[in-house]
Amino acid sequence: MDYKHFRRHLAERLGRPVADVDSLTEGLGIVLRQSCSELDRVAVPTFGTFVPVKHDESVTTDLSTGRKMLLPPEIKIEFTPGAMLVKRLRHE
């Protein structure tokens, strides 16, 4: 399911306009980026937890040229589903 289908289904389910759904999902993205950039976890009750994991800079070798490259540090977000979400996904 792509984002267009997702937002249309969510708007129908919530009884709200698509513009509201766009605003809500954009707001969630902003909060996640801000919190995770500060290495704070974000817990959404019954849904799950977003945990930032910082990966340090590293040196890698480009296989096509053989040159060594320095990769900058990065923060990746891992999602752990909550128990209620897992339960609902298994039963529906």
Side-chain angles (χ1 to χ4, degrees):
M1 174 184 296
D2 64 0
Y3 180 69
K4 287 183 180 182
H5 289 105
F6 168 75
R7 72 182 191 163
R8 185 171 36 88
H9 288 295
L10 188 57
E12 289 172 4
R13 176 90 179 200
L14 296 175
R16 294 182 142 199
V18 174
D20 284 355
V21 171
D22 286 340
S23 177
L24 291 170
T25 54
E26 183 178 335
L28 176 63
I30 290 169
V31 168
L32 284 174
R33 274 192 301 274
Q34 287 175 346
S35 297
C36 290
S37 70
E38 298 168 359
L39 297 178
D40 291 335
R41 60 181 37 199
V42 178
V44 181
T46 70
F47 183 72
T49 305
F50 298 90
V51 180
V53 178
K54 184 175 182 180
H55 296 276
D56 293 328
E57 63 185 17
S58 60
V59 177
T60 187
T61 304
D62 184 352
L63 297 177
S64 61
T65 63
R67 293 180 55 196
K68 293 194 182 273
M69 299 183 310
L70 179 64
L71 298 177
E74 64 181 345
I75 297 172
K76 293 188 176 183
I77 300 174
E78 293 181 357
F79 176 72
T80 305
M84 185 64 75
L85 178 63
V86 171
K87 182 179 175 184
R88 287 187 179 184
L89 290 174
R90 285 186 180 160
H91 292 295
E92 289 185 15

